[in-house]
Amino acid sequence: GAGVSQTPSNKVTEKGKYVELRCDPISGHTALYWYRQSLGQGPEFLIYFQGTGAADDSGLPNDRFFAVRPEGSVSTLKIQRTERGDSAVYLCASSLQGEETQYFGPGTRLLVL
Amino acid sequence: GNSVTQMEGPVTLSEEAFLTINCTYTATGYPSLFWYVQYPGEGLQLLLKATKADDKGSNKGFEATYRKETTSFHLEKGSVQVSDSAVYFCALNYGGSQGNLIFGKGTKLSVKP
């Protein structure tokens, strides 16, 4: 079946602009996670959804970052007033309810100029 | 706090050599442990996992044993192939099915023919 998909695969924007990154989880997966991976580092947790609600948003670095999952499937990560330090690969993962194994998408590479 | 430390790379081996990538963790409670692999140009894939002490995870000739006494989860393979060239990430999950993953920084493996 189809895996986790993320769009766009690459995004270049200018400092101060607003961006949206989209994640389509595996069908039937109720849990959805966003991570950020900087160059040479492991992924770092941002936010976790169980269904439509954000169960844990403790990894969001500041209030410029926000994520939604209005219908419990597709999720959008929103970054306001982007900064050069936001440049990274943003990864999305999903899992079945009650399962620990997370399945990752290919990521969106964000470059803020 | 919870953290994962893995050996720094890059690691360069000849084909058929023995591989060990060290991983140690710090965690409260009893986390599950994972190895994820990222092949060039691809997304993160689960390689193997172990959910309790003394469990051995294995896949594609790779093995790792959950050692609670040494808080370690070292990755091993008896005979590497060129196709094993990738970045390997050790990770822990301390929250069960509602927990996010905490990753190490990754170890890049290059296997030469």
Side-chain angles (χ1 to χ4, degrees):
Chain A
V4 177
S5 62
Q6 294 186 245
T7 54
S9 53
N10 291 281
K11 176 70 177 178
V12 180
T13 191
E14 294 178 345
K15 180 176 177 296
K17 299 290 189 183
Y18 168 83
V19 296
E20 290 189 351
L21 312 179
R22 175 187 168 110
C23 172
D24 265 286
I26 293 171
S27 178
H29 282 196
T30 56
L32 186 147
Y33 305 79
W34 284 99
Y35 294 83
R36 178 167 71 173
Q37 186 176 16
S38 301
L39 194 63
Q41 303 294 315
E44 294 180 323
F45 169 72
L46 295 177
I47 186 169
Y48 154 56
F49 288 89
Q50 184 61 253
T52 60
D56 182 354
D57 64 358
S58 62
L60 294 177
N62 52 59
D63 61 6
R64 295 187 297 105
F65 289 75
F66 189 71
V68 295
R69 195 186 184 199
E71 297 178 356
S73 179
V74 171
S75 177
T76 304
L77 178 66
K78 308 180 181 196
I79 310 174
Q80 298 177 321
R81 304 183 304 280
T82 52
E83 299 178 356
R84 293 195 180 89
D86 298 335
S87 297
V89 176
Y90 289 81
L91 298 171
C92 177
S94 68
S95 67
L96 284 167
Q97 184 159 2
E99 292 288 329
E100 289 186 288
T101 299
Q102 297 179 24
Y103 298 86
F104 283 81
T108 294
R109 188 175 299 274
L110 175 66
L111 178 61
V112 182
L113 300 177
Chain B
N2 301 297
S3 66
V4 173
T5 302
Q6 60 183 105
M7 64 187 284
E8 291 194 20
V11 174
T12 302
L13 295 173
S14 297
E15 206 164 22
E16 299 184 2
F18 183 85
L19 169 72
T20 300
I21 301 178
N22 290 337
C23 171
T24 57
Y25 68 90
T26 302
T28 53
Y30 304 98
S32 294
L33 301 173
F34 302 80
W35 278 99
Y36 277 82
V37 59
Q38 191 168 36
Y39 297 104
E42 298 185 17
L44 277 168
Q45 302 174 23
L46 177 68
L47 180 59
L48 52 85
K49 68 177 184 181
T51 57
K52 60 183 187 298
D54 299 325
D55 267 2
K56 177 185 283 188
S58 61
N59 186 25
K60 299 182 180 180
F62 290 88
E63 292 184 342
T65 301
Y66 190 140
R67 300 286 188 200
K68 185 169 176 289
E69 63 276 12
T70 55
T71 62
S72 65
F73 193 54
H74 304 322
L75 183 68
E76 297 181 335
K77 186 174 185 181
S79 176
V80 294
Q81 305 301 311
V82 172
S83 57
D84 294 327
S85 298
V87 182
Y88 293 81
F89 292 91
C90 185
L92 71 82
N93 178 346
Y94 61 90
S97 60
Q98 299 188 48
N100 55 282
L101 293 167
I102 295 175
F103 286 87
K105 291 187 176 182
T107 302
K108 183 175 182 179
L109 170 67
S110 295
V111 181
K112 306 299 184 187

